[in-house]
Amino acid sequence: MSIYIHKTKQRLRVRSEYIRNNKQQVDELIEQLEQIDAVKHVKHQHHAGSVAITFDNNELDCENLLEILESHGWLEESGKSSFVENAVIAGTKTLVKGMAGIALSRLVGPSISRVILSA
């Protein structure tokens, strides 16, 4: 899952694997954020790995709020590939193998290329 950040003047939504996989740490920071007067509402969707924070932009700006979240690891990327990335890699390998097969067939003939590709 890649990190998703959506900012408006008075609202910030962050979606990440860290939020999904570290419920206790996320809940602890949410409790701390709710103690800040400028934070009006926090909505945590654990299974989606999403937190939406509504705040008073006269007292707190979005960039400062993002710095807080980043300092707590919410914006860390995991090393895992997404489903789409894995599909692209697999599709590319299949395409390259097919192109090599066609080139080989034209170069040495179909019967010899089948023997080479089956090995």
Side-chain angles (χ1 to χ4, degrees):
M1 164 191 283
S2 60
I3 296 172
Y4 171 81
I5 298 172
H6 182 258
K7 303 185 277 188
T8 63
K9 192 173 179 180
Q10 297 177 337
R11 188 168 176 267
L12 173 67
R13 174 181 296 279
V14 176
R15 187 177 307 141
S16 72
E17 278 193 47
Y18 181 87
I19 295 170
R20 183 185 300 163
N21 297 332
N22 298 283
K23 185 177 182 341
Q24 182 178 353
Q25 292 90 337
V26 171
D27 286 342
E28 289 172 5
L29 183 58
I30 288 173
E31 286 180 23
Q32 293 173 14
L33 290 171
E34 289 174 335
Q35 301 302 313
I36 300 172
D37 291 336
V39 174
K40 302 302 177 193
H41 180 71
V42 179
K43 183 176 181 181
H44 179 205
Q45 295 178 336
H46 170 71
H47 296 294
S50 174
V51 174
I53 304 167
T54 306
F55 57 92
D56 181 354
N57 66 318
N58 293 323
E59 297 179 35
L60 180 66
D61 69 356
C62 198
E63 297 308 316
N64 286 335
L65 194 51
L66 269 173
E67 286 179 19
I68 293 169
L69 302 182
E70 185 174 21
S71 71
H72 284 81
W74 287 25
L75 306 181
E76 290 178 7
E77 297 248 12
S78 74
K80 298 178 185 176
S81 298
S82 71
F83 173 77
V84 173
E85 290 169 343
N86 289 335
V88 168
I89 291 167
T92 302
K93 287 178 182 176
T94 303
L95 176 65
V96 169
K97 186 175 179 181
M99 301 274 293
I102 291 169
L104 192 59
S105 298
R106 290 186 178 176
L107 183 64
V108 295
S111 59
I112 297 173
S113 66
R114 276 189 230 120
V115 171
I116 294 171
L117 287 175
S118 65

